[in-house]
Amino acid sequence: MSETRHASLGISDEKVLEMYRWMLLARRVDERMWLLNRAGKIPFVISCQGQEAAQVGAALALDKDIDYLLPYYRDLGLVMPFGMTAKDLMLSAFAKAEDPNSGGRQMPGHFGKKASRIVTGSSPVTTQVPHAVGFALAAKMEKKQLVSFVTLGEGSSNQGDFHEGLNFAGVHKLPVITMVQNNKYAISVPQEKQLGCVNVSDRAQGYGMPGFTIDGNDPLAVYQTVKEARERALNGEGPTLIETVGYRLTPHSSDDDDMTYREKQEVEEARKKDGLLTFGAYLRETGVLSEELENQMEEEIKQIVNEATDYAEHAKDPEPESALLHVYAD
């Protein structure tokens, strides 16, 4: 039997199964949140569906014990392998006192968990880019062998913070990896009305760093590209801009009607390329994923999601007075 693609990249069968499991868990958590929202139990969902392959591929190429993560609001598939649990995410969705992200203060998708080096994001998009560059600057000044990894959508790549952050990183050769998850839409604005260039990665040349555009539905390609970018950063070769091209399979959020700006047929066509489907098919074809193993995975994940939902739904609400905490110094 000829060597599998993942084996030729030096990735074990165990690692690709781990990738698939994280992708599946992120999808099932996300799907449950939509059901809870439609049942009137949680107020808001902003989805990862269609982007899990890029997120998980990147997460597993990093070192979760030392690297810093500055995610954006769709990054379930990135924050979970880094240490955010299904329970943590459900506590955030239900806005409970125990929510490790913000104690129920922030909307879902504002990830933050200090113990896992997941740096809290703020509501204006792209503010995480200069912050990631700051972490990379600190690492360089303190001579620490780590990288900061920051993500955003292609819409956010048109903000000033993106330019300032990448320009500074390029000038000072900082160990920061910027991954733009191009899902084709900035809320309702299609890519062709956002960018004057063909690819987001074309901008890398202006910042003096390598830029790559890769298939966001292919976790192996993302894993390899991020792994190489990390190696360059640790060798003192500076930052990298990566663009993963995928598709947002859901409306922008639970408050959006995407049929006002795109056709149903376009979404259905994109579903055929969904990384969860195509990667699952690849693992079955190569004999790595059996029907029995997949069923077992689904059962385990269903139990995790059910337990997380039940726990969060019945957890304590925050005390109203707690809204005044962490505003002024005591």
Side-chain angles (χ1 to χ4, degrees), residues 72 152-159 180-187 189-191 194-195 200 203 243:
Y72 96 123
L152 57 152
E154 88 290 343
S156 295
S157 76
N158 308 308
Q159 298 281 352
V180 176
Q181 296 178 48
N182 182 348
N183 65 18
K184 306 290 173 71
Y185 287 92
I187 307 184
V189 182
Q191 180 183 331
Q194 299 177 50
L195 304 176
V200 175
R203 295 169 171 171
E243 174 188 19

Side-chain angles (χ1 to χ4, degrees), residues 50-313:
Q51 296 176 223
E52 300 95 335
Q55 295 163 1
V56 171
L60 297 191
L62 299 168
D63 187 334
K64 66 184 178 67
D65 295 324
I66 55 171
D67 294 336
Y68 281 83
L69 193 61
L70 292 96
Y72 96 123
Y73 48 81
R74 296 196 190 281
D75 273 331
L76 286 191
L78 198 55
V79 298
M80 294 181 89
F82 253 72
M84 190 81 68
T85 66
K87 189 194 283 187
D88 293 338
L89 294 164
M90 285 298 175
L91 285 165
S92 169
F94 279 98
K96 297 293 185 168
E98 274 183 76
D99 161 33
N101 297 272
S102 71
R105 290 169 178 77
Q106 280 278 32
M107 292 166 75
H110 292 67
F111 307 111
K113 195 171 185 180
K114 193 174 183 179
S116 300
R117 284 165 313 288
I118 300 169
V119 182
T120 305
S122 58
S123 293
V125 297
T126 334
T127 54
Q128 68 272 26
V129 175
H131 295 162
V133 172
F135 275 91
L137 176 64
K140 187 173 182 179
M141 290 169 75
E142 293 177 5
K143 295 183 169 52
K144 288 182 175 168
Q145 282 289 96
L146 60 86
V147 303
S148 67
F149 184 82
V150 61
T151 64
L152 57 152
E154 88 290 343
S156 295
S157 76
N158 308 308
Q159 298 281 352
D161 298 75
F162 178 83
H163 167 73
E164 291 176 37
L166 269 72
N167 189 60
F168 192 93
V171 169
H172 297 284
K173 292 277 179 280
L174 300 180
V176 56
I177 303 165
T178 304
M179 188 172 94
V180 176
Q181 296 178 48
N182 182 348
N183 65 18
K184 306 290 173 71
Y185 287 92
I187 307 184
S188 61
V189 182
Q191 180 183 331
E192 60 272 14
K193 290 187 177 174
Q194 299 177 50
L195 304 176
C197 49
V198 177
N199 299 311
V200 175
S201 66
D202 295 341
R203 295 169 171 171
Q205 189 179 357
Y207 302 125
M209 65 180 74
F212 303 92
T213 294
I214 51 176
D215 181 1
N217 289 316
D218 182 352
L220 299 179
V222 179
Y223 175 88
Q224 190 64 18
T225 307
V226 172
K227 187 168 176 280
E228 289 169 0
R230 187 177 186 275
E231 286 163 4
R232 282 195 301 275
L234 296 182
N235 289 336
E237 295 170 49
T240 302
L241 172 60
I242 299 166
E243 174 188 19
T244 62
V245 180
Y247 194 86
R248 193 190 77 211
L249 296 175
T250 64
H252 171 72
S253 74
S254 52
D255 295 342
D256 173 46
D257 177 7
D258 61 327
M259 290 298 103
T260 60
Y261 54 83
R262 61 183 187 181
E263 299 293 326
K264 192 173 183 181
Q265 190 183 349
E266 179 187 307
V267 182
E268 291 310 313
E269 281 302 309
R271 282 191 186 282
K272 295 174 188 172
K273 299 175 190 167
D274 175 8
L276 192 62
L277 296 181
T278 55
F279 194 54
Y282 165 79
L283 294 179
R284 285 180 217 103
E285 281 163 26
T286 52
V288 176
L289 182 66
S290 65
E291 189 180 345
E292 184 188 1
L293 185 55
E294 189 167 13
N295 290 339
Q296 187 187 328
M297 247 185 227
E298 285 280 17
E299 271 307 308
E300 285 171 8
I301 286 169
K302 187 179 178 181
Q303 191 176 342
I304 289 166
V305 175
N306 285 344
E307 286 175 5
T309 306
D310 192 54
Y311 183 90
E313 190 169 4

